Amino acid sequence: MTGNALILGPTGRFGRHAAAAFEASGWTVTRFDRATGTLRDACRGADIIVNGWNPPYPRWQAELPGQTAELIKLAEASGARVILPGNVYPFGAAAPARLAAEVPHAATNPLGRARAEMEAAWAGSTARVLILRCGDFLDTEASGNWFDKILTARLAGGRLTYPGPTDIPHAWAYLPDVARAAVALAAQADKLPRFADIPFPGYTLTGTEMRAALEKVTGREIRLSRMSWLPLRLAAPVWPLGRHLVEMSYLWRKPHSLDGTAFRGWLPEFHDTPLEEALASAIHHQVNPDKAVAGGRARGVERRPA
């Protein structure tokens, strides 16, 4: 199945990759530009609406409810299937380590509640929606996420900075793979439940395992050090973003992974990009910013002999 895909937030992390993946699969892609069009007009004729909009943390509680209500109304009117990149925030700190769609949304912190309420609004509507739930993103360029902003910011100097205990499993999702999965699920849009919550399993790695994988990719020894949260905690009372980063810090202390049972049921032939290839793609701008990425690997990044 192909058709018309409307991408909201086409320059953002998920939106950028989704637009490219839908185009590569033969879909007609419209990248929505708020400066030149109206959302109501853009939604007409869309078979898939990819919601790549994600306001900054400090604006979630103010903006998500209204944004969600508007999109629900338009999706119900158009009949399009909406694809949302979900996260693990709604589950909360007390959730089990293995996160499946059936796990209750019991978050009590502000960001977790904001996402839980957003998803509840979609579930309570008549709109057709797919939540493709992911761990932290691995991107192919610097996009201000945890991986490039904190973990690998000093990788060129041989250091991996980790925000939590290095033996705690943490969920990761390589954005090109997430986008491919979104396209593959969109092809089955008429078979999916009206409200489909499908966790994307991705990779689950401890900090120690991340270091070992990056050592294989770079062919060099990497020092693993703990990030200090003290500067963020001191700034939190006067810096709203810092306050929310501290709020979500429990995810670096809480073991968690995404259950892939439902995902594999829908896409049994789907294969993740091998971890080392994904990491090479994600660090190419830090290890050698003058080299391009080809085939998921960074040119100029040497591997150790097997």
Side-chain angles (χ1 to χ4, degrees):
M1 170 186 165
T2 59
N4 298 316
L6 172 65
I7 313 295
L8 309 181
T11 61
R13 295 169 188 151
F14 181 68
R16 173 168 47 88
H17 288 280
F22 273 97
E23 279 183 334
S25 296
W27 288 70
T28 299
V29 171
T30 299
R31 292 169 170 82
F32 180 66
D33 183 350
R34 302 184 212 218
T36 60
T38 67
L39 186 56
R40 180 179 298 277
D41 290 339
C43 288
R44 292 194 183 103
D47 300 295
I48 295 291
I49 300 172
V50 175
N51 183 17
W53 283 341
N54 188 33
Y57 280 170
R59 302 211 308 257
W60 274 20
Q61 289 173 297
E63 294 184 14
L64 279 181
Q67 183 186 96
T68 300
E70 181 183 15
L71 287 175
I72 287 175
K73 184 177 179 180
L74 293 173
E76 288 177 333
S78 70
R81 167 76 65 171
V82 176
I83 298 178
L84 300 173
N87 56 32
V88 301
Y89 293 14
F91 298 117
R98 192 75 167 170
L99 300 173
E102 297 77 23
V103 173
H105 290 184
T108 58
N109 60 300
L111 292 182
R113 290 311 313 154
R115 292 291 298 203
E117 289 164 7
M118 180 195 77
E119 293 186 17
W122 282 105
S125 73
T126 60
R128 299 192 303 153
V129 63
L130 161 64
I131 295 176
L132 190 54
R133 194 176 302 282
C134 302
D136 270 324
F137 288 152
L138 297 173
D139 204 346
T140 56
E141 63 182 57
S143 59
N145 58 29
W146 274 100
F147 183 78
D148 67 64
K149 194 74 172 176
I150 301 297
L151 274 76
T152 59
R154 293 188 284 178
L155 192 64
R159 178 173 295 182
L160 177 68
T161 305
Y162 206 72
T166 58
D167 59 347
I168 298 295
H170 190 87
W172 295 94
Y174 182 50
L175 275 169
D177 284 354
V178 179
R180 284 194 300 114
V183 174
L185 289 166
Q188 304 184 59
D190 292 337
K191 299 178 183 177
L192 292 170
R194 183 199 64 78
F195 181 81
D197 182 345
I198 301 179
F200 178 81
Y203 316 112
T204 303
L205 301 167
T206 65
T208 301
E209 291 168 336
M210 177 71 81
R211 174 180 63 179
L214 286 169
E215 286 183 334
K216 290 181 181 179
V217 170
T218 61
R220 62 187 296 187
E221 183 177 347
I222 294 173
R223 299 186 305 278
L224 180 58
S225 60
R226 287 282 298 274
M227 182 191 105
S228 172
W229 284 88
L230 181 59
L232 282 176
R233 294 186 188 282
L234 292 175
V238 295
W239 183 34
L241 177 58
R243 183 161 60 250
H244 288 302
L245 292 172
V246 171
E247 173 192 338
M248 299 310 302
S249 64
Y250 75 87
L251 284 171
W252 296 101
R253 302 185 299 273
K254 172 184 173 54
H256 66 279
S257 64
L258 287 160
D259 189 312
T261 304
F263 182 86
R264 286 187 289 271
W266 285 103
L267 299 178
E269 303 300 319
F270 187 91
H271 294 288
D272 291 319
T273 298
L275 174 61
E276 290 178 26
E277 290 186 21
L279 290 176
S281 174
I283 66 170
H284 74 95
H285 57 281
Q286 289 151 315
V287 174
N288 194 339
D290 296 325
K291 297 294 184 180
V293 173
R297 271 184 65 183
R299 293 177 186 158
V301 176
E302 296 180 355
R303 294 173 183 252
R304 286 178 175 171

